[in-house]
């Protein structure tokens, strides 16, 4: 396959890029390095010469998008501005990137005859819905500008499928973690942020009482879902939205306990560090747990890594690379 990965220098995008290249596919990455890092891509230039290409550009620029899809067959659209707090602080840039950039990419893909457009949706779309586990066709009202943008992307994809005979699959990611997830910056995700603190022998700060829960999902499960979405020949599986998760709930207090255990295997002093608690974060969903029955039934999804298994792998990676 010839696959364009937008946001390919980021955490999820670079892992998808690496997997595709190792499987023998040709990959072009489009990234403006707003949140991604060139270091995530450097090994690919020599290791996969002739199969890997980098285009520095911005999904907010339609010409960049048209150039990026030229000669490609499939698109994995990972390019976006993540983070609920970032979107609350700066809703305009989040909107321009996640909605304007998405529309540019889907228009360019339609015009270039892309066979299938697979994109990163978000569990934030469930908003204030209190239903657990989360089922794809039952959502609530969004709780942040970020959540609004990701839901609008789903609506645009559906309209393009109905109007232009366009194939898409949207993957609602649930708190993805793993190798290459950046622990630095104001909007670092919770797991790498906690890891960084613990490895520095500092107390991690838990928002609220620590009983908020998440369906933490290891990166290799996400790679599996993306590959299934790219390659499925099941007509009923296309033009659908899927939860992308493991289907298991973990509280933040439990998460810190597991990280202390796994990192403590390398440095016993980490086991003695106690977390501190701060205020709840604006826009946070209290509890998140995915139903993955739809993905299992239509795509054959079979996640291999539980949260604990993935966290052990991630802890080892951070210990060796931070």
């Amino acid at each position: 396959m010839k696959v364009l990965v937008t946001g390919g220098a980021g955490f999820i995008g670079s892992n998808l890029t690496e997997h595709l290249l190792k499987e023998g596919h040709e990959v072009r990455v489009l990234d403006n390095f707003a949140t991604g890092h060139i270091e995530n891509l450097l090994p690919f230039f020599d290791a996969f010469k002739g199969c890997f290409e980098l285009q520095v550009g911005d999904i907010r620029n339609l010409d960049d998008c048209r150039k990026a899809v030229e000669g490609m067959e499939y698109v994995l659209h990972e390019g976006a501005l993540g983070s609920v707090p970032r979107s609350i602080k700066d809703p305009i840039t989040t909107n321009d990137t996640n909605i304007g950039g998405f529309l540019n990419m889907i228009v360019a893909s339609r015009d270039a005859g892309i066979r299938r457009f697979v994109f990163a949706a978000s569990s934030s779309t469930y908003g204030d819905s209190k239903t657990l586990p989360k089922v794809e066709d039952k959502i609530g009202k969004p709780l942040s500008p970020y959540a609004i943008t990701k839901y609008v992307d789903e609506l645009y994809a559906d309209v393009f499928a109905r109007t232009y005979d366009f194939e898409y699959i949207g993957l609602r990611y649930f708190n993805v973690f793993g190798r290459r997830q950046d622990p630095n910056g104001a909007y670092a995700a919770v797991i790498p942020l906690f890891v960084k603190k613990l490895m520095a022998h500092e107390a991690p700060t838990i928002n609220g009482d620590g009983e908020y829960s998440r369906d933490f999902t290891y990166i290799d499960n996400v790679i599996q879902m993306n590959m299934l979405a790219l390659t499925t020949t099941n007509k009923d599986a296309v033009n659908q939205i899927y939860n992308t998760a493991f289907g298991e709930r973990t509280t933040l207090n439990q998460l810190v306990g597991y990280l202390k255990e796994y990192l403590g295997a390398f440095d016993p002093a980490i086991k003695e560090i106690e977390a501190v608690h701060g205020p709840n974060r604006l826009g946070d969903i209290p509890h998140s747990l995915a139903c993955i029955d739809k993905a299992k039934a239509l795509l054959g999804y079979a996640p291999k890594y539980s949260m604990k298994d993935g966290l052990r792998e991630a802890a080892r990676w951070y210990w060796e690379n931070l």
Side-chain angles (χ1 to χ4, degrees):
M1 296 184 290
K2 297 181 178 181
V3 185
L4 169 68
V5 181
T6 69
F11 156 48
I12 297 176
S14 65
N15 275 285
L16 289 169
T17 296
E18 181 178 35
H19 181 84
L20 286 162
L21 288 168
K22 285 181 175 178
E23 291 286 306
H25 305 294
E26 293 181 31
V27 181
R28 177 182 297 152
V29 162
L30 172 65
D31 208 302
N32 67 350
F33 300 105
T35 58
H37 303 285
I38 187 64
E39 291 79 11
N40 289 337
L41 302 176
L42 288 178
F44 307 152
F45 287 98
D46 288 332
F48 302 101
K49 198 171 290 185
C51 293
F52 174 70
E53 178 187 351
L54 169 65
Q55 178 188 328
V56 179
D58 196 319
I59 59 174
R60 292 174 294 180
N61 183 312
L62 181 58
D63 288 340
D64 285 350
C65 297
R66 292 195 186 282
K67 180 182 176 185
V69 295
E70 196 173 305
M72 295 288 102
E73 298 171 310
Y74 299 89
V75 171
L76 291 180
H77 181 54
E78 308 298 314
L81 270 185
S83 171
V84 165
R86 188 205 310 266
S87 76
I88 290 172
K89 184 177 181 181
D90 183 6
I92 289 176
T93 306
T94 296
N95 190 87
D96 288 349
T97 304
N98 295 0
I99 295 180
F102 182 90
L103 184 57
N104 284 340
M105 276 308 313
I106 205 168
V107 166
S109 298
R110 177 203 64 186
D111 294 350
I114 290 296
R115 294 183 184 181
R116 186 171 298 159
F117 185 90
V118 178
F119 68 94
S122 171
S123 60
S124 66
T125 297
Y126 288 105
D128 65 1
S129 169
K130 292 181 171 58
T131 303
L132 287 178
K134 306 296 185 186
V135 181
E136 285 86 349
D137 61 355
K138 295 178 182 177
I139 64 172
K141 289 185 177 180
L143 294 175
S144 66
Y146 173 74
I148 292 172
T149 67
K150 298 307 262 183
Y151 182 45
V152 170
D153 291 351
E154 293 184 11
L155 297 175
Y156 261 125
D158 183 64
V159 166
F160 269 58
R162 295 170 186 269
T163 309
Y164 306 114
D165 192 27
F166 185 81
E167 277 197 11
Y168 79 88
I169 289 179
L171 304 178
R172 282 184 191 155
Y173 293 160
F174 279 69
N175 295 86
V176 185
F177 71 94
R179 57 192 175 273
R180 297 202 194 105
Q181 193 171 26
D182 190 0
N184 300 305
Y187 302 112
V190 65
I191 288 179
L193 192 60
F194 284 0
V195 167
K196 182 183 177 184
K197 286 282 190 180
L198 290 169
M199 286 179 58
H201 292 178
E202 297 174 2
T205 300
I206 296 173
N207 296 314
D209 64 4
E211 289 306 301
Y212 275 18
S213 61
R214 296 286 180 265
D215 196 332
F216 293 105
T217 307
Y218 187 56
I219 183 63
D220 284 7
N221 295 335
V222 172
I223 291 171
Q224 182 193 147
M225 271 292 282
N226 275 273
M227 294 306 296
L228 290 169
L230 275 180
T231 59
T232 184
T233 56
N234 179 4
K235 293 187 183 303
D236 292 335
V238 179
N239 301 336
Q240 299 277 1
I241 300 293
Y242 296 95
N243 289 337
T244 300
F246 183 72
E248 182 178 277
R249 193 156 54 119
T250 306
T251 68
L252 294 176
N253 288 327
Q254 289 173 321
L255 171 65
V256 171
Y258 297 144
L259 283 172
K260 286 165 61 176
E261 177 186 347
Y262 302 149
L263 291 170
F266 304 107
D267 179 357
I270 289 174
K271 294 181 180 180
E272 306 305 317
I273 300 170
E274 294 298 327
V276 296
H277 292 264
N280 284 321
R281 251 182 9 176
L282 278 174
D284 265 359
I285 296 171
H287 300 289
S288 189
L289 172 66
C291 173
I292 56 175
D293 291 350
K294 181 179 177 182
K296 288 179 175 179
L298 294 179
L299 290 175
Y301 178 52
K304 295 180 180 178
Y305 285 85
S306 69
M307 187 270 187
K308 287 184 180 180
D309 291 338
L311 204 59
R312 282 192 191 93
E313 295 293 324
R316 184 182 300 109
W317 186 89
Y318 280 117
W319 185 258
E320 293 172 353
N321 290 277
L322 272 192

